[in-house]
Structures are given as structure tokens and as C-alpha cells.
Amino acid sequence: MAAQDRAPSAPSIVDVTRPSAARIYDWYLDGVHNYAIDREFGERVVRLWPHVKGVARQNRDFLRRLVVNALDAGVRQFLDLGSGVPTVGNVHEIVRDHLPAGERAAVVYVDYEHVAAAHARVLLEEDGATGWAGVVQADLRDPMAVFGHETSRALLDRGQPICVMLIAVLHFVGGADNVPNLLADYARRLAPGSWLGLSHIASDEADPADQAAVEAFRKAYDNTSNPLWVRDRAEISGWFAGLDGWRLVDPGVAHLIDWRPDRPVTPADRALRPFAWCGAAEKLG
Ligand SMILES: C[S@@+](CC[C@H](N)C(=O)[O-])C[C@H]1O[C@@H](n2cnc3c(N)ncnc32)[C@H](O)[C@@H]1O
């Protein structure tokens, strides 16, 4: 159990007195949008759980495959909740690279952390993508605020399918924040053909030493702006099963490397297998 009942709201200014999940994750991915406090935290947790950087990279690769598969299924709108500090292979870049010629798409990034939102805005400006991609600085636990934001309203057509992405973020939602209710709230606002994809840190299939390492990692986050919850396959499968009128797409709830892989799995990949679950569901007509 995490010490907190509920993850706190994001501070209204950049808080450099406590490490933040967005900036720590940027550090895991060898990014540069982080502060000394985030790097010190990162170095400490890597000593507790050395696999964390590898899992972060596998997670980004899952994100890419999720976007490509949703595009292949005909989805053209993406709502990336808890999008993080932009790094290599952001959603709008994947969409731009894979969208069939002549077709239009929309991407909305949502993060409540200033550094993440500010850098995403700069990147979209630099990429000349502001006509079809935008940033909403909001708390994803408030779907009405997310969908009601002027950027979402301008870019997203709720009458058409949207791929809602919750990648490596629901482990920052727990306690009094009820994840199944939150997912149901998003799900009911979406048109048939929409997708909902997520990934989540886990250790239920890890050996006892690795489970203890993940638990030490989880506890370290109690001292950040983002306390963390670790969940098992049964709980995450239950979230999908609770979505009325949705079906899990193949291969169901899986480890990151087993979800529609598009390259051979290496021994290094296999060592990271137990540390996350992921999956995607589609809304039926
Ligand atoms: C581990 S990063 C994941 C980034 C990206 N989704 C990925 O998988 O590569 C988690 C992100 O979720 C954001 N986040 C956490 N809780 C949030 C909330 N309640 N509302 C909006 N963003 C949130 C953090 O600020 C951070 O940028």
C-alpha cells in the first residue's frame, strides 16, 4: 500500500524541491529536461531496481506499436494522457510517419506537469504541427476538464474514434482515485471504433528478489510529487473487463514485448518481461 490516500495535484509552478515523475522518466530515457533533484532520485532508484531504464525503453516501444496498430485499425485521433516530457518517438511523430498519404489526423497531449507541457508546446511549434496537434495542461483524473479544454475541443471530434492512451501513468493513480470509474468515464465519452490502450508497472510474475526491488522502487516514489501503485495482471484485466461494450484486442493483457511485437525478442528484452502489463481495447458499435 502506498503511504498516500491519493496522489496530490500538480503544483501550480515548477516545483524543484521534489522530484517529479515526468522529469525522472525523462532522465530514465537519457533526456535533458530534468533537474539535479530528479537525477539524484533517478540514480538512487536505479541502484534499488536496475531494470527501470530498460523497462522505460520497452514502454516507449509499446507506445509506438499501439499508435501504429490503432492507425492500421482506422483510428485517426489520439489523446495521450500523462504524455510526459517529449522524447524520441512522440505520438505526433509516429502518426506523421505512418499516416496514409492525404489523410488527416489529430493528436492531443495531456500532462499536468509544467516542464512536460512546456516542452511539448515548443516541440509542436518547431515541428510545425500546431495545426493538428496540441497540448493540454490538465489533470487526467478530470475527464471533463480534459475534453472541455479549448485545445481538445478544437482538435478532437468526439463523434469519430479516438485512441485514448494511458501509457505508464495509471500507476500514479490510486487510493481514493478509483481507476475503473475513471476508465469508464473516458470510455463512455468515446465513439464506437475508439481504442483505449494502457501500460502499467507490475511485478506479479517476477521472482521474489525482483519483487522486493520493485517494492523498494515504489516506496521511493512516496517522497516525490507522484506516489506510485504496483498492480497485478488480474486487477488490470479486471479494468478492461469492466468496460461495457468494449473488447480487448489481441493479444489481450500482455507483457510489453509480447504485445504485437514487430522485431525479434532478445534475451535482454526477456529479462525485463515481468515488469509491466499492457493492453488495448476497442469500443464496439
Ligand atoms: C512515467 S511518465 C510516462 C510518459 C509517457 N506516457 C510514456 O509512457 O512514455 C508519467 C507522466 O504522467 C504524468 N502524470 C501523472 N499523473 C498525472 C495526472 N493525474 N494528470 C496528468 N498527468 C499526470 C506525469 O507528469 C508524467 O509526465
Side-chain angles (χ1 to χ4, degrees):
M1 282 280 283
Q4 285 81 357
D5 285 341
R6 185 176 197 267
S9 306
S12 54
I13 52 161
V14 176
D15 180 359
V16 293
T17 63
R18 287 203 297 172
S20 92
R23 299 178 329 234
I24 301 162
Y25 186 74
D26 176 64
W27 182 83
Y28 293 153
L29 292 168
D30 300 326
V32 293
H33 304 304
N34 47 69
Y35 297 106
I37 195 140
D38 307 308
R39 294 190 285 277
E40 282 158 21
F41 179 87
E43 278 157 15
R44 190 156 55 84
V45 298
V46 165
R47 284 195 292 275
L48 294 172
W49 183 39
H51 288 315
V52 61
K53 286 187 160 198
V55 174
R57 282 191 293 273
Q58 273 195 355
N59 180 63
R60 288 301 294 185
D61 207 39
F62 163 69
L63 177 150
R64 178 185 58 77
R65 299 195 307 280
L66 175 66
V67 171
V68 170
N69 276 272
L71 281 169
D72 287 347
V75 181
R76 296 290 179 261
Q77 306 186 95
F78 294 82
L79 179 61
D80 186 5
L81 300 172
S83 47
V85 177
T87 178
V88 178
N90 301 293
V91 175
H92 77 282
E93 295 162 333
I94 303 164
V95 170
R96 191 180 49 205
D97 291 349
H98 290 85
L99 191 66
E103 293 208 24
R104 293 175 62 82
V107 177
V108 173
Y109 293 108
V110 177
D111 206 293
Y112 69 0
E113 209 272 347
H114 288 273
V115 172
H119 283 289
R121 284 198 188 97
V122 170
L123 179 66
L124 293 181
E125 290 278 348
E126 285 173 356
D127 276 0
T130 50
W132 60 281
V135 182
V136 171
Q137 188 172 351
D139 192 321
L140 67 89
R141 292 170 294 181
D142 186 352
M144 211 192 306
V146 169
F147 282 114
H149 190 281
E150 57 181 2
T151 300
S152 308
R153 290 159 70 103
L155 291 173
L156 298 177
D157 175 357
R158 294 248 309 275
Q160 296 298 319
I162 299 174
C163 178
V164 170
M165 306 171 57
L166 289 143
I167 311 303
V169 66
L170 285 175
H171 45 240
F172 297 119
V173 181
D177 291 312
N178 183 303
V179 174
N181 286 352
L182 180 65
L183 295 180
D185 196 333
Y186 277 104
R188 75 179 170 79
R189 294 169 193 270
L190 300 172
S194 292
W195 278 39
L196 190 151
L198 63 87
S199 64
H200 197 294
I201 196 164
S203 68
D204 44 309
E205 288 193 352
D207 64 34
D210 279 329
Q211 286 189 350
V214 173
E215 173 57 12
F217 169 84
R218 186 203 64 70
K219 269 183 104 107
Y221 271 78
D222 281 349
N223 301 319
T224 72
S225 312
N226 304 88
L228 189 146
W229 284 263
V230 178
R231 297 184 171 99
D232 63 15
R233 184 181 196 168
E235 184 167 359
I236 292 162
S237 300
W239 293 347
F240 283 111
L243 294 178
D244 217 17
W246 289 67
R247 72 165 184 99
L248 260 175
V249 303
D250 286 343
V253 174
H255 291 302
L256 294 168
I257 54 169
D258 300 325
W259 199 92
R260 304 192 178 188
D262 56 6
R263 63 169 176 82
V265 171
T266 66
D269 288 330
R270 275 193 281 277
L272 303 172
R273 186 180 253 133
F275 299 116
W277 292 111
C278 66
E282 181 187 17
K283 188 166 186 171
L284 304 172

